[in-house]
Amino acid sequence: MKTIFISTGDVSGDLQGALLVTALKQLAAKSGIDLQIVALGGSKMAAAGATILADTVSISSMGIVEHLAYVRPSLQARSLAKQYLKTNPPDALILIDYVDPNIAIGKYVKNIFPNLPIYFYIAPQDWVWPRQHKRAKLIASFIDEIFAVFPVEAKYFAEQGAKTTFVGHPLVDRVATLTSREIARDKLGITAEETAIALIPASRQQELRYILPNIFAAARQIQDRLPATRFWIPLSRPDFQAEIESQILAYKVNATLVTENPDLVLSAADLAITKCGTVSLELALLNVPQVVIYRVSRITAWIAEHVVKFSIPYMSPTNLVEMKSIVPELMQDDASPDRIAVESLELILNPARRDRMLADYTEMRAALGDRGVCDRVAHEIITKF
């Protein structure tokens, strides 16, 4: 039997991990290899066939202050992983995003098992922020190979001394499996005359506090301007359901929370108002115009600006692909209900603005590689056994 350990966190990491687990399992079966996959991850990876050592999706966070509540469970998950890896060394270690914990785990494993192959898949976006060169060089020092999902990522980490292979972005494969727009709208009961707007407020706990209220307040403004509009919310985590339902009532928004097959919302939408993250790229690949929101606590924002000197040109993956402003990004104070509503209405009511975004999507898509991404990564790993 061969064993692979995969380490990741948050909703998007769990999704990417699940896609890779499926590809690894399929290729191993074809190759006559009995493969076990153990992981830090979540329910999607478990459903794909991984044995979950610790659920890291529920303890994910973004921001300095926001992370404080999750420091202890995050350290516990990291410690559990190290203990397991020390006593049960796998045949390969795959790190997916989840940057700081994965750097700690990767360094630990390389130190005690120097010949154990370590791969980073979906590496940190350090090329965006020049101050991160030191971290990139650290990753290059213990990693055997980086499977890059952006062309600029491959170039950057190669320059920092890492063996790097551009494989393309796995969402190219994922969107090809999603329900078509026509079928999705039919299943949700959306008529041709209706404008369907996807509201995607949260996949992390703190986003319920800092992003959801502004998105819902903006939705109410849009609804007042365009009464025929309906809002659809794909549920990212079951533990968020009660809070989101209560806010729908509080803001009196004509919204439906979709708990079964929530991906239908992404396929069916005419527009999305979304928190920043992987879902932005998913929407772009589905040709859904979007407004991207990023907000954290005022303390975190102040520390980032004045202490860490955090400054990058773009936040959303859609804009990072070619370092170009394709979708509007409303950050911190700019992410007010008024601004969100204005940007959203512009995309609904101005066909020229919407068409320009869709044209940029087409150009961006060409830079993300061909289908078969997870199969290529699986092949690189399995054939080295």
Side-chain angles (χ1 to χ4, degrees), residues 19 21 177-178 210 306 314 340:
L19 295 173
V21 167
T177 68
L178 296 183
Y210 297 115
H306 298 284
Y314 304 111
I340 297 170

Side-chain angles (χ1 to χ4, degrees), residues 262-300:
D263 291 334
L264 288 174
V265 176
L266 305 186
S267 299
D270 296 297
L271 173 76
I273 304 173
T274 178
K275 59 100 177 183
C276 190
T278 303
V279 68
S280 169
L281 188 57
E282 196 168 0
L283 289 163
L285 291 171
L286 288 167
N287 280 325
V288 178
Q290 61 185 291
V291 178
V292 177
I293 314 302
Y294 180 83
R295 293 186 77 239
V296 290
S297 72
R298 290 191 177 277
I299 296 174
T300 292

Side-chain angles (χ1 to χ4, degrees), residues 11 24 48 54 78 81 116 168 172 176 181-182 198 202 251 266 311 324 340 359 366-367 378:
V11 170
L24 287 165
R78 190 184 311 181
L116 195 157
V172 172
R181 173 180 168 81
E182 292 74 18
Y251 284 91
L266 305 186
S311 177
K324 175 181 176 180
I340 297 170

Side-chain angles (χ1 to χ4, degrees), residues 7 55 85 149 168 181 222 236 244 262 292 313 317 346 351 360:
S7 174
D55 182 353
L85 289 163
V149 298
R181 173 180 168 81
I222 296 168
S236 61
I244 292 174
V292 177
E346 174 73 6
D360 286 339

